[in-house]
Amino acid sequence: ATHLTEVLRSHADELLGRQDTQKLLDNLAKTHPKVVEELVPGTMGLGGVQKVLQNLLRERVSIRDLLTICETLADHATMNKDTDVLTEFVRQKLARSIVGSFTDEEGNLSVLTLATQTEDLVRESIQKTEQGAYLALEPNLAQRLLESIQETVEKIAASGYHPIILCSA
C-alpha cells in the first residue's frame, strides 16, 4: 500500500485529466461560485488550469487549497497566459503551506543556495519558445552543474535534512 501510494504521488500530474480538473472546479463552485465563474472560461481555459495543477503536482505541491489557487490564477491570468509563470504566482501564494512541511520544531528552514554567478548563468540560459521554456547551457557545463548539485543534495539528505534549493523565480 505504501509503495502504491508513492507511485500515485510520483505520477499524480499524469493522472490529472481535464475531466478531473472540471470535477475539482465543480466542487469548488458549490461553495465559491464567483471564483470559478471568473476564472473559467472568462479568464482562463480549462486546459490552462489543468496545466498549472499538473505543474504543482509534479513538484509535489498540494492542490488541496484550490480556492487560493483559483483566486491567484484569476488575479494574474488576465495579464499573463504562460502556465509556467502562473504556476510561479501560485507557488508564491502557497508559500506558507509549502514551507510549513519542511520547517523544524523551532520553525527554522534549512536551505541550499546557488552562487550568484551560477544562478545568473542559469537564468540567462533559459530560452522561451511557444512550446515552453528550456535550459540552453553548454552540455558539459550543464552536466557538471547537475553533478555538483546532486552531490550536495545527497550529502544534505544523508545528514537527515530534506534538501531544498532556494533560488529566485
Side-chain angles (χ1 to χ4, degrees), residues 1-168:
T2 303
H3 180 68
L4 180 60
T5 301
E6 187 58 31
V7 169
L8 290 174
R9 281 189 185 141
S10 297
H11 300 285
D13 61 302
E14 298 170 33
L15 299 172
L16 182 71
R18 288 186 198 267
Q19 192 63 39
D20 303 313
T21 304
Q22 185 61 58
K23 285 180 186 176
L24 290 170
L25 292 174
D26 290 345
N27 285 337
L28 180 62
K30 291 175 186 174
T31 56
H32 298 86
K34 292 296 181 190
V35 174
V36 177
E37 285 174 24
E38 181 183 352
L39 181 60
V40 178
T43 309
M44 243 181 127
L46 183 63
V49 174
Q50 176 192 3
K51 286 178 184 171
V52 170
L53 294 177
Q54 286 175 324
N55 286 346
L56 294 169
L57 289 170
R58 189 173 304 111
E59 299 166 1
R60 292 187 174 214
V61 173
S62 173
I63 60 170
R64 287 182 193 221
D65 190 356
L66 193 58
L67 175 60
T68 299
I69 293 168
C70 288
E71 286 178 340
T72 304
L73 291 175
D75 290 344
H76 295 282
T78 56
M79 299 170 282
N80 195 322
K81 299 296 182 197
D82 185 334
T83 55
D84 291 331
V85 172
L86 293 171
T87 302
E88 177 61 23
F89 284 125
V90 171
R91 237 187 261 112
Q92 290 171 10
K93 195 70 167 182
L94 295 174
R96 187 179 309 275
S97 63
I98 293 170
V99 169
S101 62
F102 298 110
T103 56
D104 62 18
E105 298 81 29
E106 292 86 40
N108 297 320
L109 180 66
S110 299
V111 298
L112 302 168
T113 58
L114 299 175
T116 305
Q117 306 95 312
T118 304
E119 193 170 334
D120 290 344
L121 176 67
V122 170
R123 183 177 36 260
E124 291 166 4
S125 298
I126 295 174
Q127 300 293 316
K128 294 187 180 199
T129 66
E130 291 179 12
Q131 289 77 33
Y134 66 93
L135 188 60
L137 271 178
E138 189 270 317
N140 289 333
L141 177 60
Q143 185 64 36
R144 286 194 318 267
L145 177 63
L146 288 174
E147 287 171 357
S148 176
I149 290 172
Q150 183 176 7
E151 181 181 313
T152 304
V153 163
E154 287 172 358
K155 284 180 187 175
I156 296 297
S159 300
Y161 292 99
H162 189 90
I164 300 169
I165 300 175
L166 181 65
C167 60
S168 61

